[in-house]
Amino acid sequence: WARVLKVKENEVVVFAKTQEEMTHQLKEAVFNVTKTNMKAMYEASSWGWSDHNKWLSINNTALRFILCFREPSEGRPQQHPDDLVGFLTYKYELYYSDAGDGPLEASAFVYEAQVVESV
């Protein structure tokens, strides 16, 4: 699905995508925004930063994406990685009872919410 929103008087187009619908270029754009925003904080923590581990987490098959794009410039296709202005990643999780008689509850967890600095 797609929606158009206004952010600071600019139109932002919002798309929801599954892992399978993400192109390699979009995943790279998500990775780069995350790295730009978070690398220094990770390095200052006990976790440290790992390009490899962050790339693996972005490619988790259960991960879903809500992607926000600025309107493309003339001649550029919609959802171009250079037009990414923010995103949210989330996963659905099912919790089962110890008795194995089916799920007790379903939850959605937000893993990342990032916005590019220019927004």
Side-chain angles (χ1 to χ4, degrees):
W1 58 261
R3 300 286 185 267
V4 177
L5 306 171
K6 283 231 184 236
V7 177
K8 293 185 180 180
E9 302 304 316
N10 296 310
E11 284 192 354
V12 176
V13 184
V14 181
F15 293 89
K17 291 189 174 288
T18 63
Q19 186 64 244
E20 296 79 25
E21 295 169 321
M22 291 286 288
T23 65
H24 183 78
Q25 291 80 11
L26 281 177
K27 290 178 191 179
E28 284 181 328
V30 164
F31 173 85
N32 290 333
V33 170
T34 304
K35 185 174 181 176
T36 298
N37 290 352
M38 302 300 295
K39 182 178 179 183
M41 284 188 273
Y42 272 73
E43 288 177 336
S45 75
S46 61
W47 291 2
W49 176 265
S50 166
D51 282 354
H52 176 75
N53 288 343
K54 184 49 72 176
W55 183 254
L56 289 177
S57 72
I58 288 170
N59 284 279
N60 182 312
T61 57
L63 203 62
R64 295 173 182 260
F65 300 81
I66 296 176
L67 304 166
C68 302
F69 297 89
R70 69 176 60 90
E71 283 293 319
S73 35
E74 188 69 32
R76 189 182 291 189
Q78 207 170 40
Q79 301 181 51
H80 191 281
D82 290 344
D83 292 326
L84 183 70
V85 294
F87 67 89
L88 181 134
T89 60
Y90 65 100
K91 280 188 352 184
Y92 293 114
E93 301 277 346
L94 292 176
Y95 293 94
Y96 293 88
S97 72
D98 291 337
D101 57 354
L104 289 175
E105 62 182 51
S107 298
F109 291 97
V110 173
Y111 282 83
E112 295 274 354
Q114 301 290 338
V115 178
V116 299
E117 189 174 341
S118 64
V119 172

